[in-house]
Amino acid sequence: MKHWRLFLLLILCGSLAGCSISHETETPSDSKGVMTKHQVVNLASTQPIRTLDTDKLSQFGRLNNTIEGLYTTANEGQAELALAKKVTVNAAKTTYTFALYHDSYWSNGDVITAKDFVYSWQRALAPKTKAPDADLFTGIHNAKPILAGKLPATQLGVSAPSKFKLVVKLDHPMAELPERLAYPLFGPQNERVAQKYGAKYATKPQYQVYGGPFMVATKGYTKTHWHLVPNPHYWDRDHVYLTRINVTVFKSQKKMWQAYQDGRLDEVHLPFQKDKHLEKQADYTARPYSKMLLLSYRQRGPKPGVNRLLKQSQARLAISHAIDRKSLGTTTYGATSLPAQGIVPAGLSRGQRGTADFAAAQTNQSTLAYNPKLATKEWRSALKQAEISHPTLSLSYLVGPSTKKVAQRLQQQLTKVLPGLKVTLKAREWTISEQDDEVDTDITLTTQRAQYADPLSMLALFTTENAANTGHWSNQTYDDLVAQASNASSFNNRRWQNLLKAEGILMKYQGVTPLLQPASNYLVNPKLNGVQFNTVGTQSNFKGAYFVK
């Protein structure tokens, strides 16, 4: 759609004197007649802002509305060009050359250039930065040895041969590259501003600049309350309708609910207990999101007997078979949550003909079935092999009402089914990076999100060398299959089958144990329109949002 509009403009410019072409937009503008004068949205958050540095965020939350990169995420998770107006790919599909728009600006008026992307990407991989999602750069030339500390970040395969030309070189073809590059981590950063502020960079709004439709306002900023205002230099400023986005941190679900009831919030996330009562209301909405709640296993802990136990696939299979996922989901996240079919969330990716959902096609779903009789048999055998009779396993969970309930229910289910097992629970606090380099419990309850619309976004997390694989599960055949899919030049059937085989191995040995695909249910002000909700990457885009009368 975008390309034919540009072509039409080129034709018109050929016949009109003084015509110039700037960014175009797909955002409808015929809604202004029904807009209210008051275009301020009030939103809630459960976590305070810890940094405005995009390289140090594993979840972007509302801040994704301040970032724009080469691509943006369109409907159904597909990527479409944003700050890049054109991309050309060589025959081997290992070099991408992006032509950037000349009229894209930072919030301070600086022009966004190709060097801003080079600086941003190299900075994300630099040891000093330690970007939580730096593994997403794997496949770009030299990213892997850079991550291993064998090369400096300046050797990354990205360059700016001219002001508005960006060249990205790959180690191998990557069919999913556009979807990856839509993730905010791949956005640009203003090197001049970063160097100007040094250690202060991105610690407060006045020490940061923004390339997206909104920016964080300096006035009234605290870690528990902040607001976004339109970026005055954003290329598509005419189609940003909200004048302000207020964000307040609520520690209490009850207070959040009351704020929505009083009209002080335009959106509230529902605890599952309220879902059934409210699901017929006009302001009720259920939003699918591609994330998976799962268990990972530490096999290098301080207790030799537990290590021997958790290294056995039949012990991990026993744990999986002892879990009643349907009951677990209903009593924690609500009836709209989905029991896991595999590690890849339902709806994330479909076959070439658009009919086969990857999650449903996964062949080893029986390893996730509730089967207490089989679980007991597998557990007894694993205990015998490990030469241990009454193990105590520690299980950690991230602080939060639903995750605590999941951990408690898991404790009940596992100790009920598995003979001699004792489970102790340990809460862990939020950090800038949600994944620690070394876990300190035998089992870790965590959430992994698909950052782009492809099964590889989940399966790559559990290869031997991936930092997200905190349990250090390793299988060479699995690694090889993921590598083959990663190296594929197109979304062909062979790539699809390799990904299915890889997930089959992960489930066969329960390298990690997927539990639930949680549902996100909300009440939303019915007068709020134009918000784009994504199933992958960043959840909500308010660029084209507006209130109607």
Side-chain angles (χ1 to χ4, degrees):
M1 181 73 73
K2 195 171 194 177
H3 299 296
W4 73 259
R5 290 189 179 186
L6 180 59
F7 179 71
L8 180 59
L9 283 171
L10 286 168
I11 293 175
L12 291 173
C13 282
S15 59
L16 296 175
C19 178
S20 62
I21 300 174
S22 62
H23 271 113
E24 327 92 56
T25 178
E26 292 292 332
T27 308
S29 58
D30 59 354
S31 54
K32 287 187 176 181
V34 296
M35 286 186 186
T36 60
K37 292 182 179 180
H38 187 69
Q39 292 292 328
V40 177
V41 65
N42 295 292
L43 305 174
S45 176
T46 58
Q47 297 297 327
I49 284 186
R50 290 175 172 81
T51 180
L52 297 173
D53 189 340
T54 56
D55 281 342
K56 296 182 179 180
L57 293 168
S58 59
Q59 288 192 63
F60 291 86
R62 308 302 186 188
L63 293 179
N64 78 288
N65 291 277
T66 67
I67 306 164
E68 194 163 277
L70 299 169
Y71 292 91
T72 188
T73 302
N75 294 328
E76 298 183 2
Q78 301 306 306
E80 65 178 24
L81 290 173
L83 294 184
K85 64 179 178 180
K86 182 181 178 182
V87 58
T88 56
V89 186
N90 68 345
K93 297 188 178 180
T94 55
T95 301
Y96 284 64
T97 301
F98 295 93
L100 306 185
Y101 284 104
H102 294 197
D103 61 342
S104 297
Y105 298 94
W106 292 103
S107 54
N108 65 348
D110 289 353
V111 176
I112 297 175
T113 68
K115 285 185 177 180
D116 291 327
F117 285 93
V118 175
Y119 171 74
S120 175
W121 295 12
Q122 291 178 350
R123 182 178 183 270
L125 289 178
K128 186 178 179 180
T129 308
K130 295 182 179 179
D133 292 325
D135 282 323
L136 282 173
F137 285 89
T138 302
I140 297 175
H141 184 56
N142 283 336
K144 197 169 184 179
I146 291 170
L147 288 168
K150 297 177 181 179
L151 285 177
T154 53
Q155 296 298 305
L156 184 67
V158 58
S159 62
S162 64
K163 191 173 183 178
F164 298 107
K165 180 184 288 187
L166 183 73
V167 178
V168 180
K169 294 186 177 181
L170 309 179
D171 288 326
H172 50 74
M174 296 170 63
E176 79 289 352
L177 183 68
E179 281 69 32
R180 281 202 198 195
L181 296 184
Y183 193 63
L185 180 62
F186 292 94
Q189 293 199 51
N190 190 314
E191 182 177 7
R192 186 183 69 81
V193 171
Q195 291 180 345
K196 175 181 177 181
Y197 294 121
K200 291 183 178 180
Y201 176 65
T203 56
K204 293 181 179 179
Q206 58 265 40
Y207 306 133
Q208 177 63 295
V209 292
Y210 311 90
F214 294 93
M215 62 183 188
V216 181
T218 302
K219 187 177 180 180
Y221 171 83
T222 68
K223 291 185 177 181
T224 57
H225 178 81
W226 64 94
H227 60 274
L228 307 178
V229 294
N231 174 357
H233 298 287
Y234 181 60
W235 66 269
D236 197 23
R237 175 67 185 87
D238 288 344
H239 296 92
V240 176
Y241 307 122
L242 294 176
T243 59
R244 184 173 171 130
I245 301 175
N246 292 320
V247 185
T248 303
V249 173
F250 287 83
K251 288 295 184 182
S252 164
Q253 178 72 43
K254 183 178 180 181
K255 290 182 179 179
M256 193 186 303
W257 171 255
Q258 190 60 52
Y260 180 82
Q261 293 291 89
D262 295 342
R264 291 182 285 117
L265 282 178
D266 293 299
E267 175 187 270
V268 63
H269 183 252
L270 293 174
F272 79 92
Q273 296 95 332
K274 295 183 180 291
D275 288 358
K276 191 170 184 180
H277 174 65
L278 298 168
E279 61 186 10
K280 293 184 179 180
Q281 290 190 189
D283 54 350
Y284 176 87
T285 182
R287 296 178 194 157
Y289 192 69
S290 295
K291 62 183 177 181
M292 189 63 65
L293 202 67
L294 59 93
L295 299 177
S296 61
Y297 304 95
R298 179 176 64 171
Q299 300 176 30
R300 303 177 185 176
K303 299 175 284 187
V306 170
N307 291 343
R308 292 194 300 270
L309 179 67
L310 293 181
K311 282 181 180 178
Q312 296 181 66
S313 60
Q314 63 180 344
R316 302 191 298 269
L317 282 163
I319 290 172
S320 180
H321 285 137
I323 299 169
D324 184 344
R325 288 169 174 78
K326 184 175 181 180
S327 171
L328 181 67
T330 302
T331 56
T332 56
Y333 281 91
T336 52
S337 63
L338 300 175
Q341 296 172 289
I343 199 64
V344 176
L348 176 66
S349 186
R350 295 186 177 275
Q352 287 181 296
R353 296 183 181 180
T355 55
D357 181 68
F358 187 92
Q362 196 271 115
T363 55
N364 278 331
Q365 295 186 34
S366 62
T367 60
L368 305 180
Y370 179 50
N371 191 333
K373 185 176 180 179
L374 178 58
T376 301
K377 180 180 178 181
E378 291 168 331
W379 186 250
R380 291 188 189 280
S381 177
L383 291 177
K384 184 176 180 180
Q385 290 292 324
E387 299 179 341
I388 187 172
S389 57
H390 292 82
T392 297
L393 300 180
S394 54
L395 188 157
S396 68
Y397 61 93
L398 197 63
V399 172
S402 295
T403 48
K404 182 178 181 180
K405 289 176 184 176
V406 171
Q408 291 172 335
R409 290 290 295 176
L410 284 171
Q411 183 184 46
Q412 295 169 6
Q413 290 189 6
L414 294 177
T415 54
K416 179 181 178 180
V417 175
L418 304 179
L421 175 62
K422 181 180 178 181
V423 176
T424 60
L425 302 182
K426 179 181 179 181
R428 66 183 190 275
E429 297 293 333
W430 285 75
T431 59
I432 288 177
S433 170
E434 280 186 55
Q435 55 191 48
D436 299 318
D437 292 333
E438 292 295 334
V439 295
D440 60 357
T441 54
D442 303 312
I443 305 176
T444 303
L445 176 65
T446 188
T447 301
Q448 290 290 358
R449 296 164 175 81
Q451 293 155 327
Y452 52 94
D454 188 79
L456 192 65
S457 63
M458 294 296 286
L459 295 172
L461 298 174
F462 306 106
T463 53
T464 300
E465 297 181 359
N466 196 290
N469 184 12
T470 54
H472 304 293
W473 177 77
S474 181
N475 181 284
Q476 188 60 53
T477 304
Y478 179 85
D479 289 353
D480 291 343
L481 287 167
V482 170
Q484 289 174 41
S486 179
N487 296 351
S489 59
S490 63
F491 293 98
N492 54 39
N493 186 62
R494 182 177 179 182
R495 181 181 187 273
W496 182 261
Q497 293 303 320
N498 283 339
L499 289 168
L500 282 172
K501 289 176 184 176
E503 177 153 30
I505 291 172
L506 184 62
M507 293 300 97
K508 178 181 179 180
Y509 297 107
Q510 286 298 289
V512 292
T513 294
L515 303 173
L516 306 168
Q517 185 175 347
S520 296
N521 301 319
Y522 294 84
L523 294 184
V524 181
N525 185 337
K527 292 186 178 181
L528 179 61
N529 286 261
V531 183
Q532 178 183 311
F533 298 109
N534 301 318
T535 58
V536 295
T538 54
Q539 283 186 269
S540 52
N541 186 334
F542 283 83
K543 173 186 171 179
Y546 59 91
F547 286 95
V548 296
K549 296 175 183 178

